[in-house]
Amino acid sequence: MRVGTARTEDDDSGHDELTAVQAALAAEHAAVYGYGVVGGRITGERRKEAQAAYDGHRARRDALHRAVRDLGGKPKASAAAYELPFPVPDAAAAARLAAELEDRLAAVYADLVRSGGTARRAEAAAALREAAVRSVRWRGSGVAFPGLGERAQAGLPTGSASASSNAL
């Protein structure tokens, strides 16, 4: 929230909330694209996990699309392609990409928990939790505060900052 702006706990139409929902929508667009790459490289039982994550992110993306409209905004469209953070030639790299996608989503959903109105906080907290759990499954280890520590350590921007919209 910006200094000097007043918002009540039940205000679901604030500009900060719309910005955070748009950022979450953009992150889900990127995750859907990224899981397409992951699914193409992953094998065996992990492929089912990738498919479940892909389906889950598509559902969240669609729900966020509706949420932006409900807040009076115009939903951001998906980019035609996204820049991957590293080459993904095999299953091991695909698992690393999946973990990276989930870490980035956790950061965006942490912003939405902070900026969202009361009605949206529970949804954002659930999405953050799901992203953290998926990240641990893909990586094999976790962090104490998903979505917060990674951003501070890596200097990652928040979901509402002006990061490249075509970067995963």
Side-chain angles (χ1 to χ4, degrees):
M1 183 184 316
R2 279 175 262 154
V3 177
T5 60
R7 249 181 42 146
T8 65
E9 283 291 311
D10 296 322
D11 181 9
D12 285 350
S13 61
H15 176 71
D16 289 340
E17 183 175 18
L18 178 57
T19 300
V21 173
Q22 285 277 32
L25 174 59
E28 289 291 2
H29 281 313
V32 168
Y33 179 90
Y35 270 102
V37 174
V38 170
R41 305 287 190 281
I42 210 81
T43 58
E45 287 300 311
R46 304 249 34 208
R47 189 164 203 161
K48 291 178 186 173
E49 193 175 344
Q51 182 66 50
Y54 176 79
D55 292 341
H57 289 300
R58 286 181 60 207
R60 285 221 185 266
R61 177 202 63 196
D62 295 346
L64 288 165
H65 189 274
R66 290 186 298 274
V68 169
R69 286 191 185 273
D70 291 347
L71 289 169
K74 181 179 178 188
K76 292 182 180 178
S78 176
Y82 293 85
E83 181 179 333
L84 298 176
F86 49 82
V88 185
D90 55 22
R96 277 193 359 252
L97 176 60
E100 178 73 19
L101 291 169
E102 298 298 345
D103 288 344
R104 291 178 184 202
L105 283 163
V108 171
Y109 281 115
D111 284 346
L112 185 53
V113 167
R114 185 189 71 226
S115 300
T118 303
R120 204 152 330 272
R121 284 189 182 128
E123 292 174 28
L128 191 157
R129 182 182 63 246
E130 289 172 14
V133 168
R134 282 187 186 123
S135 176
V136 168
R137 285 183 181 150
W138 286 111
R139 183 174 287 113
S141 65
V143 296
F145 298 104
L148 300 178
E150 301 89 346
R151 181 175 35 212
Q153 291 173 356
L156 293 174
T158 63
S160 58
S162 60
S164 171
S165 62
N166 289 351
L168 288 179

